[in-house]
Amino acid sequence: MRTQILLLTSALLSHALPVEQKQATCTAPPQRKSWHTLTRPEKLSYLSAEKCLMARPATLNLPGTRTRFDELQMIHVRNTADGPIHGVGVFLPFHRYYVALHESLLRTECNYTGGQPYWDESLDAGKFSSSILLDGSDESFGDTGKGKGGCVVQGPFKDYVNPIGPGQEIKDHCIDRQVNDCLSGNANATLVNECLAHGDFVDMWNCIEGVPHPAGHGGVGGQMLNVFSSPGDPLFYLHHGWLDKLWWDWQSANRSARISAIGGTNQGIDLGNFTFPPFDGNGTFPIFPGNGTGSNSTFPPFPPFPPPSVNGSCSPFGFPGGPPGNFSGGFPGFPGFPGMPEQPFKAKAGDPKNVTTLGHVINVYGMAKDVAAGDVMDIQGGLLCYEYV
């Protein structure tokens, strides 16, 4: 696996489509803060804005969507199927723009005045189950999935009915989770710093997508573990906000050289044609119904994962063996595990060859203007305007 925010300055914020124009300078960037550092009023303001987005009617006529929140989720579903946006060089630029769109909608349509918070998962690595983000209080994102079928039954989103997913399906369901402390362990600071130590964009991106990225998704589990429909859990935006911060930290270490550094393949994993091999039932691997196939053309539903120690390690997605983030010759992080089939190569808008360039077009299906990867490389450049604190 190989792996905007036109946040106008305060005076220019409006209810127009977000991220539509360019600004010459970034003079008053909204501050993106760690959730752990927010005051109670700041937390409640963000959660209220998210609930507003979950109530505002959809406008784009995307399949199955009822709200603006759903529309954002469907944009991710479609890009995962058609982009691709995972296992390719545009993974980080796409998700930077995507999270910025979410932030802009909160600010322009739901009267939110702050920046997109992020979840510094290194603070909770190995102990997501006791995170303040999942304590079920009114200033959290709900519980760890204490209801039937892993449904969230506490907190501000307990009554939200999500019509998108799992996968590419369109059906009503709760926000579900299956928190796994073992899987969250790979968000630890040591592994994250190893990613940031890489000097090359491709190596850094592969590491971030292969280590802290699955640690966050797998650590929360449920909807968050679905490669298509994971934005149905509002934690998605804090998780990917953190990953964007990591990328910006890497860029800032050598800004003049790294603000334009990009690369990698445009040929993603063929998620619709990948099946897990049969497992021997020795209790070390989780059991996957149907040999890994699913009617929704995505990864199968995951039953309970193995206990925290699996063959002495805790690799991404809970599979034993192999160092995290090794993408050579197999499933992410697992040498000898069967390779994942690639999609047939198709030229992408802005990228006629199988190499990701700054011209690669990011498609957001009418939510805002499509942009090129080069437009979102600088978070305080001509298109984006925010800062991390």
Side-chain angles (χ1 to χ4, degrees), residues 332-358:
F334 314 101
F337 199 74
M340 300 180 78
E342 293 179 328
Q343 293 175 335
F345 173 70
K346 296 184 297 183
K348 303 296 186 291
D351 269 350
K353 298 181 180 180
N354 191 16
V355 178
T356 304
T357 70
L358 296 175

Side-chain angles (χ1 to χ4, degrees), residues 100-137:
L101 287 178
H102 175 258
E103 179 181 45
S104 186
L105 286 177
L106 294 180
R107 289 171 61 89
T108 60
E109 298 191 13
C110 291
N111 299 314
Y112 180 61
T113 59
Q116 171 68 56
Y118 60 92
W119 181 3
D120 184 348
E121 294 168 8
S122 68
L123 300 176
D124 292 325
K127 51 182 180 180
F128 273 19
S129 62
S130 60
S131 171
I132 61 171
L133 284 83
L134 293 166
D135 65 12
S137 70

Side-chain angles (χ1 to χ4, degrees), residues 75-86 227-228 269 271 343:
I75 289 167
H76 190 273
V77 170
R78 284 194 161 189
N79 270 287
T80 299
D82 303 330
I85 54 172
H86 300 98
V227 69
F228 289 89
I269 300 162
L271 296 170
Q343 293 175 335

Side-chain angles (χ1 to χ4, degrees), residues 215-374:
H217 283 284
V220 174
Q223 180 87 303
M224 269 284 280
L225 195 49
N226 193 293
V227 69
F228 289 89
S229 57
S230 50
D233 189 326
L235 280 170
F236 176 96
Y237 298 99
L238 280 78
H239 170 56
H240 273 275
W242 181 55
L243 299 181
D244 182 63
K245 179 186 183 296
L246 297 182
W247 180 26
W248 182 246
D249 289 346
W250 181 85
Q251 289 180 298
S252 298
N254 188 358
R255 184 166 177 166
S256 61
R258 294 178 176 178
I259 209 71
S260 60
I262 199 168
T265 181
N266 288 322
Q267 190 172 7
I269 300 162
D270 191 354
L271 296 170
N273 291 306
F274 177 71
T275 58
F276 288 94
F279 299 115
D280 60 12
N282 63 4
T284 60
F285 281 88
I287 305 304
F288 294 95
N291 192 30
T293 60
S295 61
N296 61 359
S297 297
T298 183
F299 293 125
F302 291 95
F305 279 102
S309 178
V310 183
N311 290 355
S313 69
C314 183
S315 298
F317 292 107
F319 299 116
N326 179 351
F327 299 116
S328 301
F331 194 82
F334 314 101
F337 199 74
M340 300 180 78
E342 293 179 328
Q343 293 175 335
F345 173 70
K346 296 184 297 183
K348 303 296 186 291
D351 269 350
K353 298 181 180 180
N354 191 16
V355 178
T356 304
T357 70
L358 296 175
H360 190 110
V361 174
I362 297 172
N363 181 5
V364 292
Y365 294 90
M367 178 65 77
K369 180 181 179 180
D370 293 346
V371 300

